[in-house]
Amino acid sequence: MNVKLKIWRQAGPKEKGGFVTYDVETTEDTSFLETLDILNESLVEKGEEPVAFDHDCREGICGMCSLYVNGHPHGPATGATTCQLYMRRFAEGETITVEPWRSAAFPVIKDLIVDRNAFDKIQQAGGYVSFNCGGAQDANAVPISKVAADEAMDSASCIGCGACVAACKNGSAMLFVSAKVSQFALLPQGKVEAAARAKAMVAKMDELGFGNCTNTGACAAECPKNIKLSNIARLNREFLCAKIKD
């Protein structure tokens, strides 16, 4: 199949960018990232600069393949990352628009690569638990209900790709932050630092320039790991309880 890739090209953070359209021959069973590989091979053969884009595992685990495809973070497939997107999703001769994440908090480094260090800084602000080291506890020493354990695991499945921020009209990171808060708030190990965690992570999120949440739900709709919107309600509850205690 033949498609046109309308790709955002930008030489650097301070350079002016623009779209460039390329004709690419691929197959329906080829993944989207492999199609970009095919394009880059042809560009290198012509002596042109290849398109810079992020990727690592290509198994839907790491979330580095953060591309805006035809107006959707990670592309039109639901519950999947860009590396899990296949060309069968597109029509013969279709023009596919490919952009980097749209967020002031994720500045463009080059072409389709953005700087997502802001998420690392939020995680460092409070996304951890402290405990005394020693011998490993027995697995049943701290009783945890299956409902809480399952919900904590679902929240922990967030890969921090940034699709929620890219989908949000305000560039809010509330879904990411709420998932990281929830995975600890639901477990007894996270209760000790619960108040400090909520305040620290929200403060860091605001400091880094992310927008406010207006509960439109676009973040959850585009999340490749189907993180629940109810996590935001839990984050608000944890934050308000911490402020009341103060």
Side-chain angles (χ1 to χ4, degrees), residues 44-195:
V44 170
E45 288 175 359
K46 295 175 185 176
E48 298 179 24
E49 183 76 15
V51 178
F53 64 96
D54 255 336
H55 62 92
D56 190 7
C57 72
R58 298 205 178 195
E59 295 179 346
I61 298 171
C62 69
M64 289 184 67
C65 52
S66 47
L67 301 180
Y68 220 93
V69 183
N70 280 354
H72 294 275
H74 289 300
T78 57
T81 52
T82 309
C83 61
Q84 296 172 303
L85 178 66
Y86 286 83
M87 297 308 295
R88 66 179 72 98
R89 285 269 179 179
F90 306 98
E92 172 73 26
E94 183 176 348
T95 298
I96 305 169
T97 303
V98 190
E99 306 167 73
W101 277 170
R102 302 171 177 175
S103 173
F106 294 152
V108 173
I109 296 175
K110 184 177 181 180
D111 293 342
L112 304 175
I113 301 176
V114 300
D115 184 354
R116 293 180 297 167
N117 281 331
F119 269 10
D120 295 330
K121 293 175 182 177
I122 293 173
Q123 186 80 343
Q124 290 164 5
Y128 55 86
V129 293
S130 300
F131 55 89
N132 295 323
C133 296
Q137 280 188 319
D138 182 82
N140 298 318
V142 182
I144 302 171
S145 72
K146 187 177 188 308
V147 173
D150 287 348
E151 198 164 352
M153 185 63 75
D154 288 344
S155 300
S157 67
C158 169
I159 53 178
C161 65
C164 53
V165 177
C168 179
K169 64 180 181 180
N170 303 322
S172 173
M174 282 290 280
L175 192 67
F176 165 75
V177 176
S178 66
K180 296 308 175 185
V181 166
S182 289
Q183 72 185 63
F184 295 123
L186 289 160
L187 302 176
Q189 292 90 337
K191 300 298 183 186
V192 177
E193 295 159 312

Side-chain angles (χ1 to χ4, degrees), residues 154-242:
D154 288 344
S155 300
S157 67
C158 169
I159 53 178
C161 65
C164 53
V165 177
C168 179
K169 64 180 181 180
N170 303 322
S172 173
M174 282 290 280
L175 192 67
F176 165 75
V177 176
S178 66
K180 296 308 175 185
V181 166
S182 289
Q183 72 185 63
F184 295 123
L186 289 160
L187 302 176
Q189 292 90 337
K191 300 298 183 186
V192 177
E193 295 159 312
R197 177 182 302 111
K199 290 188 295 183
M201 294 183 78
V202 169
K204 181 59 69 173
M205 175 181 65
D206 292 340
E207 176 191 325
L208 294 170
F210 290 99
N212 295 320
C213 174
T214 48
N215 293 309
T216 59
C219 52
E222 300 286 3
C223 175
K225 294 301 177 181
N226 298 314
I227 300 299
K228 297 177 182 176
L229 199 63
S230 57
N231 283 315
I232 295 179
R234 183 176 295 107
L235 170 59
N236 288 333
R237 185 163 59 249
E238 292 283 318
F239 182 78
L240 288 173
C241 286

